[in-house]
Amino acid sequence: MDDGEVAPQSRSGSANQPIFTPLNADSSSRKLDGEGDTRDSESDQKQIEVHFKALHGIVVAFFTLVLILHALGIYLFTSGFLLTRLVLDSKSSCSIPPIDLYEHSLAGYTDAGCWHPRTFDKAVIIIVDALRYDFAIPYDRQGLEQGRHHYHDSIPILYETATHQPQNAFLRPFIADPPTATLQRLKGLTTGTLPTFVDLGTNFAGTAIDEDNIVAQLRNASKRVVHLGDDTWHALFPDYFDPKLTRPYDSFNVWDLHTVDNGVTEHLIPLLSPQNVSKWDVIFGHYLGVDHAGHRYGPDHPAMTAKLNQMNDLFRTVIEAIDDDTLLVVMGDHGMDSKGDHGGESDDEIQAALWMYSKRPTFGRTNPSFIDPPAHAKERPVAQIDLVPTLSLLLGLPIPFNNLGAPIEEAFIGKEGEDIRNLALVNRLTSAQIHRYQREYAHARNIDATAQSPTLALWNTAVEAFDLLRGSRNPTTEQWWTVFQEFSKYQQSNLSACRSLWARFDLLNMGMGIAVLFGSLAILVTYAQSLQADRAEASPLLFVRGLIGLAVGAAGGFGFGSTFLVDRIVSTSAFGASITSVIGIASGFWSIGGSLYSILPKDIWGSLSLIFTLLPCIGFASNSYTIWEDEILLFFLSTFGIIMLASSFRIQVPAIRLRGCIHSSLFIVLTRIASLSRLCREEQMPFCKSTYYASATSSTSAPWQLLIPFSVAICLPEVLKYIYKDTESYEEPAPLWIGFSYRMGLLFVAIFWTLDAADDGDWLDVDNETLKSYHGTGVLKTSRIIIARVVLALAFIGGYAVYYLAKPMLRITANPKAANGDLSAQSPSSKAPAAAGKSSITVHGYANVHGTRYALLPIAWSLAAILLSKPMGTGALGICVWQIFSLFEMLSANNLTSSPIGPVILALLGSFHFFKTGHQAALSSIQWESAFVPLRTIQYPWSPLLVTLNTFGAQILCAVAVPAVVLWKQTPKRKGGYLGDVAGAAATHVAFYAAVNLATTMWAGHLRRHLMLYRIFCPRFMTGAVVLLIVDVMAAFVALAGLRWNVLSVAEVFGWS
């Protein structure tokens, strides 16, 4: 080899290369590469750097434009798909009854009652959040086959009073309309209306309830209203409550079981004393302990027993304290599932309890067999909206204008169960108000009268029956009963009609949304798989045309909407902007012309990528596929691993073949191990067994699961260290970051969950006085918060500092002079012997300089995601990280770094581990407690971000890892720093989620009348939409943005080609 020549470089994946052989000691110049090119001038290097930075910014901007298109498409479909209801501004007035009053005081006279004689002067209304009906029923009355649980027989006062004092109390199942979120339930409990996902009104300021409601009617009647507990009430009813007596408490800290409950009791009991009873008329007390115990532990836990016992004692105290003219109401706003969660529409989530009590005999039964409360919630249930007219009439208030509920029989039938007349009159009043509301709603919505004809016919029949009764001198009991039945039929029919009316979908908006999502998917696929030209170089043209289209289309859509579709200005503007932007980008592709080629697969890996994308999209049309999605993803990933193993056996180079086979086998085994972590949804029972928590009825981890975070802390850094050493890249800052900081962070995570288990299990409540002194002091919570904040600081502040400041992880060794070309003088890692009498320099880690440096970024994100996942989730995410690096090795060994299979498998991997970290496509699986891992109270925007990272941590981690698919084991000397290839991989990754989102959107729209729409298809569509937007953000602002620092750092050492 002549002086100044470079040792030949291999693309075989060797971790180190002799970059150049130095000249003799007296030489003053050297060549940079084997072709003898001279070093670029400093100005040329600067120009290339500036060009890269400009292109990088435009690529990020292009992906941001794609994010905007996805957001607009999702908005358009959602605005037509999620049910809407027009909120009327009309209010009921005491002076204007909905129908002529029968043998009652003049309308407007409120001393004795408005519209109907009032029964009670005051009311104490206690909401026990998540009080499920079966909590209140004795175990032996339910006829259950399974054994007794902790929630059984823990709150007996409700059942005992209803059976032993039937004239003083009754207990009924209280059925909530989904979604079973507290805010939606409070709206239904106070307005008497059905919930919809979007309520259209004239005032969008905040979440305040503007439509007529019972709290507003109390205020209009000059009643003094006090609220204690859940502060959600103050968002819904601002300035409605007595500021001197009201005490709101933060409602979202599900880790805190006692603060709210103790605070409510502390202020409630004194208000019931004789000296304070004149200060209030109605008290709303909202207890959260039962709900929080469910979220934190699950219903089958001693903490639930303690909370129910506490409520039982409270009710006994309140019963003793109230007087004869005070109504006591206890109810749950919703139930909870077997894990203590809620939000969906399963039986356990919608079945709450309602109990009313009066010291004065007031309540009766229409049938003597109804004295004992129903043994199950399916028997004689009461709709939650029925509470509104019931309370209104009992307290002498007008029924809120928008109410659709019916009076509860026990409250009006009389203590002997014979006052059919009163029951018929209150139903007539309620039906008349419903009829008035429907008339105004039909007018506001321009609903054809023929659509109302069935309910109008029932209304007319009921009115005729009452007119016939009124014409009788002495109406018989049978006549009153007939009137009651006819008005009840009208109420039931009207309720069904409203459910159907508000289930009408805006097909035009849905179609526009689907069109935009389809167009944006076509753009992504073309950009990723059809563009022959450098994607980075093509991005400026595509972005500029797309941006122009966005602006022009928005203006055109607004003009069209304001001229022809005034009520659709927002929709036409959004559609015009998005679809014109898609057309603009498409025109950019057309201008490129010859640089496009077919998007059809060119090899088996391209075909496999297409299959793995299309099969889920087709499968989401089936509810069974959607239910068992986690198991199908397991099959896909295992299939990929087996095919990759077979492919690795065909590699010619033995060392690379061995590496490919090992990592393919590991990928398969790790996938199977990760599948052991599962959280079953209700529809999977009894063919699925949950392992994510201690049991199927718990939301806490089993003691043995605490070993998992410690195992991850020990094993995962060693795995990463081995992979880095295999590429001879375990150089600074890798030992500091992976070997120490990352390991310590994982160890802190293990300690965090150990302290959490100690707090949950009251480990400090022991005989040891030193430990017992800390029990109940909050020291464990404080310690956990400190540890969590340290870990998050280590992940984001420390991780990004290391990533930003890190130089390429290289080690340079000088090989001694060789005599006569003696190979023994050559470094074992060198690819060429030193020439006789010459020395050489070997740069270790050169062949993977991009990949190992960029991988520091997903490692940092993994630490934060692992912290926010419970012990089983910690294990799943640890496996996910290992699988990601095994995937890098497999792709590199099989020369597939530019294939679409890598980004697609990362998407499948993220989706798979979404389920393995204790989540499902259901609202009830959201782990809200993750918002309090580093916090004591809700803090915006941090709390929502924490829940997002907990829920979608696997997808986020895989999205951040996408650039490493391209960069792994790639040498630095390449023009543009792989920007175009990374952009293509990111587009492929996003396209997978875009295809899934488009499919779930289309199937949800097509199956909009399916029985399982809101239980299965709608939650999956919502999950797909949210995941797509999150992956868009991560791809543009984390992955691609992180690539910039990586390329600049490497170029600083090796220059620009």
Side-chain angles (χ1 to χ4, degrees):
M1 184 178 294
D2 296 333
D3 288 354
E5 284 187 317
V6 179
Q9 298 184 20
S10 170
R11 294 303 302 275
S12 64
S14 174
N16 44 269
Q17 299 285 345
I19 303 303
F20 56 84
T21 55
L23 302 176
N24 292 331
D26 59 349
S27 298
S28 59
S29 63
R30 63 189 60 172
K31 301 292 182 65
L32 181 63
D33 56 35
E35 296 180 2
D37 295 335
T38 61
R39 182 183 298 276
D40 292 328
S41 67
E42 184 176 343
S43 61
D44 290 339
Q45 291 286 303
K46 189 64 177 177
Q47 288 179 1
I48 296 174
E49 179 180 342
V50 170
H51 183 65
F52 166 78
K53 290 180 178 178
L55 282 182
H56 175 270
I58 293 176
V59 169
V60 173
F62 175 76
F63 275 82
T64 304
L65 181 61
V66 172
L67 165 64
I68 294 173
L69 294 178
H70 286 154
L72 290 175
I74 291 169
Y75 162 75
L76 285 169
F77 180 84
T78 301
S79 64
F81 178 72
L82 298 184
L83 308 185
T84 61
R85 174 175 60 88
L86 177 66
V87 175
L88 301 182
D89 294 329
S90 303
K91 317 289 183 185
S92 293
S93 171
C94 191
S95 60
I96 308 176
I99 201 170
D100 61 291
L101 303 180
Y102 181 82
E103 295 183 4
H104 181 51
S105 56
L106 295 176
Y109 181 72
T110 59
D111 288 345
C114 180
W115 297 4
H116 186 77
R118 72 163 177 257
T119 307
F120 298 98
D121 296 329
K122 297 177 181 291
V124 176
I125 302 170
I126 296 177
I127 300 94
V128 179
D129 210 288
L131 180 62
R132 207 168 71 191
Y133 182 71
D134 60 335
F135 292 179
I137 304 300
Y139 172 76
D140 55 7
R141 284 278 290 117
Q142 298 184 44
L144 300 175
E145 295 181 359
Q146 66 267 29
R148 190 183 301 269
H149 296 290
H150 286 94
Y151 54 80
H152 283 134
D153 299 328
S154 297
I155 186 169
I157 183 66
L158 307 182
Y159 189 87
E160 289 175 0
T161 53
T163 54
H164 299 155
Q165 306 174 52
Q167 295 182 345
N168 300 92
F170 67 88
L171 175 64
R172 294 278 296 274
F174 201 39
I175 307 303
D177 289 292
T180 50
T182 294
L183 186 141
Q184 293 285 354
R185 291 294 78 244
L186 292 183
K187 286 185 176 182
L189 287 169
T190 55
T191 63
T193 58
L194 297 175
T196 60
F197 285 92
V198 181
D199 289 337
L200 299 177
T202 57
N203 182 7
F204 290 92
T207 59
I209 295 179
D210 295 317
E211 61 185 311
D212 200 6
N213 60 82
I214 192 169
V215 181
Q217 289 294 343
L218 286 167
R219 186 180 63 172
N220 294 341
S222 300
K223 302 293 184 180
R224 292 156 298 181
V225 185
V226 176
H227 169 259
L228 307 170
D230 187 345
D231 60 357
T232 304
W233 287 78
H234 290 260
L236 299 176
F237 307 104
D239 303 324
Y240 277 52
F241 305 111
D242 187 324
K244 296 181 180 179
L245 302 177
T246 293
R247 297 292 184 274
Y249 294 87
D250 180 23
S251 61
F252 286 100
N253 190 352
V254 296
W255 292 68
D256 186 350
L257 275 59
H258 307 295
T259 299
V260 177
D261 289 7
N262 294 342
V264 174
T265 302
E266 178 185 350
H267 293 90
L268 173 63
I269 302 304
L271 287 174
L272 301 180
S273 63
Q275 60 269 30
N276 292 323
V277 75
S278 61
K279 297 179 180 179
W280 56 271
D281 293 300
V282 175
I283 298 176
F284 291 96
H286 195 145
Y287 285 82
L288 295 172
V290 171
D291 179 68
H292 289 185
H295 283 300
R296 183 171 179 180
Y297 302 106
D300 192 17
H301 190 275
M304 182 62 74
T305 304
K307 292 310 298 183
L308 293 175
N309 287 339
Q310 180 185 8
M311 293 296 99
N312 192 73
D313 295 340
L314 168 72
F315 301 151
R316 292 187 186 277
T317 302
V318 175
I319 287 173
E320 294 296 326
I322 61 174
D323 58 29
D324 289 356
D325 294 322
T326 300
L327 171 66
L328 174 59
V329 181
V330 173
M331 59 180 159
D333 57 340
H334 51 74
M336 64 175 68
D337 64 15
S338 60
K339 304 180 303 299
D341 298 320
H342 58 87
E345 57 177 320
S346 67
D347 288 344
D348 283 344
E349 292 172 271
I350 65 173
Q351 293 171 353
L354 172 67
W355 177 76
M356 287 190 179
Y357 177 84
S358 168
K359 276 192 172 180
R360 169 167 36 96
T362 303
F363 305 120
R365 309 291 188 274
T366 56
N367 190 312
S369 65
F370 294 164
I371 290 179
D372 288 341
H376 304 284
K378 298 288 187 182
E379 302 174 19
R380 300 175 51 237
V382 171
Q384 286 194 349
I385 57 175
D386 293 348
L387 179 70
V388 173
T390 302
L391 282 181
S392 298
L393 295 171
L394 288 175
L395 295 175
L397 300 172
I399 300 172
F401 192 85
N402 296 343
N403 166 73
L404 296 174
I408 299 173
E409 295 178 5
E410 285 86 343
F412 300 100
I413 193 62
K415 61 183 180 180
E416 302 298 335
E418 298 177 351
D419 197 351
I420 305 298
R421 173 182 177 278
N422 187 47
L423 185 61
L425 289 176
V426 295
N427 274 273
R428 174 175 177 263
L429 268 174
T430 305
S431 298
Q433 176 54 47
I434 293 173
H435 180 65
R436 179 163 64 176
Y437 166 68
Q438 287 301 321
R439 187 170 59 247
E440 291 203 19
Y441 191 90
H443 176 73
R445 280 294 199 186
N446 295 318
I447 298 175
D448 190 0
T450 56
Q452 307 176 66
S453 56
T455 56
L456 285 176
L458 290 174
W459 167 256
N460 292 332
T461 300
V463 170
E464 290 173 0
F466 184 79
D467 289 341
L468 182 63
L469 177 146
R470 176 177 277 179
S472 304
R473 291 186 177 181
N474 296 304
T476 63
T477 300
E478 289 73 17
Q479 286 180 302
W480 283 112
W481 187 256
T482 299
V483 170
F484 161 66
Q485 289 182 316
E486 294 299 334
F487 279 114
S488 294
K489 289 179 183 178
Y490 167 74
Q491 294 162 6
Q492 295 168 5
S493 174
N494 184 78
L495 189 59
S496 299
C498 288
R499 293 184 190 276
S500 175
L501 177 66
W502 293 330
R504 291 183 178 179
F505 300 88
D506 189 336
L507 298 182
L508 179 59
N509 275 19
M510 291 168 61
M512 290 191 294
I514 291 174
V516 172
L517 292 174
F518 180 83
S520 60
L521 175 61
I523 293 299
L524 279 172
V525 173
T526 304
Y527 183 83
Q529 300 301 320
S530 182
L531 191 59
Q532 282 183 329
D534 188 306
R535 298 178 186 85
E537 298 290 345
S539 295
L541 173 65
L542 302 177
F543 172 69
V544 169
R545 293 201 177 182
L547 188 63
I548 293 173
L550 191 74
V552 172
F558 180 82
F560 180 84
S562 58
T563 304
F564 300 103
L565 298 171
V566 179
D567 58 336
R568 292 181 181 269
I569 291 180
V570 176
S571 298
T572 56
S573 300
F575 180 71
S578 51
I579 203 67
T580 310
S581 181
V582 169
I583 294 173
I585 297 173
S587 71
F589 286 127
W590 182 265
S591 299
I592 295 173
S595 296
L596 298 177
Y597 58 88
S598 173
I599 63 173
L600 295 178
K602 302 166 188 61
D603 54 26
I604 185 175
W605 300 109
S607 301
L608 204 59
S609 302
L610 183 63
I611 291 171
F612 285 157
T613 303
L614 288 181
L615 285 183
C617 294
I618 297 172
F620 286 122
S622 165
N623 57 342
S624 58
Y625 177 95
T626 307
I627 291 170
W628 292 99
E629 183 182 357
D630 53 341
E631 296 298 319
I632 296 169
L633 289 171
L634 169 64
F635 170 76
F636 285 164
L637 290 173
S638 299
T639 300
F640 165 76
I642 293 171
I643 296 175
M644 185 61 75
L645 178 61
S647 175
S648 297
F649 274 115
R650 302 177 59 191
I651 298 174
Q652 299 299 317
V653 181
I656 301 177
R657 178 172 63 245
L658 178 62
R659 185 184 303 118
C661 291
I662 290 175
H663 285 284
S664 298
S665 301
L666 279 173
F667 189 89
I668 298 170
V669 173
L670 292 172
T671 301
R672 178 58 61 178
I673 294 175
S675 69
L676 299 177
S677 172
R678 65 176 66 91
L679 180 70
C680 304
R681 54 189 296 163
E682 183 188 17
E683 296 84 1
Q684 293 177 321
M685 299 298 184
F687 307 105
C688 178
K689 181 179 180 180
S690 293
T691 60
Y692 191 76
Y693 296 110
S695 67
T697 59
S698 173
S699 57
T700 58
S701 301
W704 69 266
Q705 292 175 334
L706 297 177
L707 297 174
I708 296 175
F710 285 100
S711 301
V712 172
I714 294 171
C715 299
L716 187 56
E718 289 298 320
V719 170
L720 298 178
K721 178 180 176 181
Y722 171 81
I723 293 174
Y724 269 66
K725 280 192 170 184
D726 189 51
T727 62
E728 300 202 29
S729 301
Y730 195 67
E731 306 297 334
E732 293 298 341
L736 175 63
W737 174 240
I738 297 174
F740 178 74
S741 301
Y742 188 64
R743 187 189 302 276
M744 291 304 298
L746 293 175
L747 182 60
F748 283 149
V749 170
I751 295 173
F752 173 92
W753 287 112
T754 301
L755 293 177
D756 177 74
D759 198 7
D760 287 347
D762 291 331
W763 291 2
L764 297 184
D765 188 15
V766 294
D767 294 335
N768 186 292
E769 293 300 326
T770 302
L771 293 177
K772 193 178 180 91
S773 64
Y774 293 106
H775 179 62
T777 63
V779 65
L780 290 179
K781 175 62 176 177
T782 301
S783 301
R784 294 202 312 272
I785 289 177
I786 293 173
I787 291 173
R789 291 179 179 179
V790 168
V791 174
L792 290 176
L794 192 62
F796 290 121
I797 299 177
Y800 266 92
V802 169
Y803 184 75
Y804 178 74
L805 298 174
K807 301 299 181 183
M809 284 163 279
L810 305 170
R811 179 169 55 88
I812 300 175
T813 59
N815 303 318
K817 292 182 180 181
N820 301 322
D822 186 3
L823 292 179
S824 64
Q826 166 67 24
S827 169
S829 59
S830 177
K831 280 297 175 181
K838 303 292 196 280
S839 63
S840 65
I841 289 178
T842 301
V843 181
H844 300 265
Y846 174 80
N848 199 14
V849 62
H850 274 295
T852 50
R853 192 198 180 283
Y854 180 84
L856 296 175
L857 187 59
I859 290 174
W861 276 87
S862 71
L863 182 57
I866 286 173
L867 168 69
L868 297 175
S869 294
K870 295 196 174 185
M872 283 294 283
T874 296
L877 287 177
I879 290 175
C880 181
V881 173
W882 192 346
Q883 287 184 287
I884 288 172
F885 279 86
S886 289
L887 178 64
F888 296 160
E889 292 288 350
M890 288 187 289
L891 296 174
S892 173
N894 287 271
N895 292 320
L896 294 173
T897 55
S898 60
S899 170
I901 191 65
V904 169
I905 293 301
L906 276 177
L908 289 174
L909 203 60
S911 301
F912 176 69
H913 284 282
F914 165 79
F915 295 102
K916 301 303 109 181
T917 52
H919 300 97
Q920 288 282 350
L923 291 174
S924 59
S925 72
I926 298 176
Q927 298 169 21
W928 298 107
E929 63 271 22
S930 59
F932 302 96
V933 168
L935 303 172
R936 290 189 182 275
T937 60
I938 289 290
Q939 295 182 21
Y940 294 97
W942 309 117
S943 296
L945 290 176
L946 291 169
V947 174
T948 300
L949 184 54
N950 165 271
T951 306
F952 305 108
Q955 289 100 327
I956 289 173
L957 185 58
C958 290
V960 177
V962 167
V965 168
V966 175
L967 300 176
W968 198 254
K969 293 190 175 177
Q970 299 291 339
T971 55
K973 306 298 292 180
R974 180 166 174 177
K975 185 177 181 181
Y978 301 97
L979 178 58
D981 289 345
V982 170
T988 302
H989 188 75
V990 173
F992 175 89
Y993 289 107
V996 169
N997 177 61
L998 175 62
T1000 54
T1001 300
M1002 292 176 62
W1003 292 127
H1006 177 68
L1007 301 170
R1008 60 188 179 276
R1009 301 295 180 185
H1010 196 282
L1011 180 64
M1012 293 292 180
L1013 175 64
Y1014 289 108
R1015 178 171 290 198
I1016 296 175
F1017 296 109
C1018 182
R1020 188 60 187 86
F1021 147 68
M1022 296 170 68
T1023 301
V1026 173
V1027 170
L1028 174 60
L1029 296 179
I1030 290 174
V1031 170
D1032 275 333
V1033 171
M1034 299 306 296
F1037 302 116
V1038 178
L1040 288 172
L1043 176 70
R1044 174 191 177 99
W1045 294 335
N1046 194 79
V1047 173
L1048 292 177
S1049 176
V1050 174
E1052 186 178 349
V1053 175
F1054 294 99
W1056 299 87
S1057 297

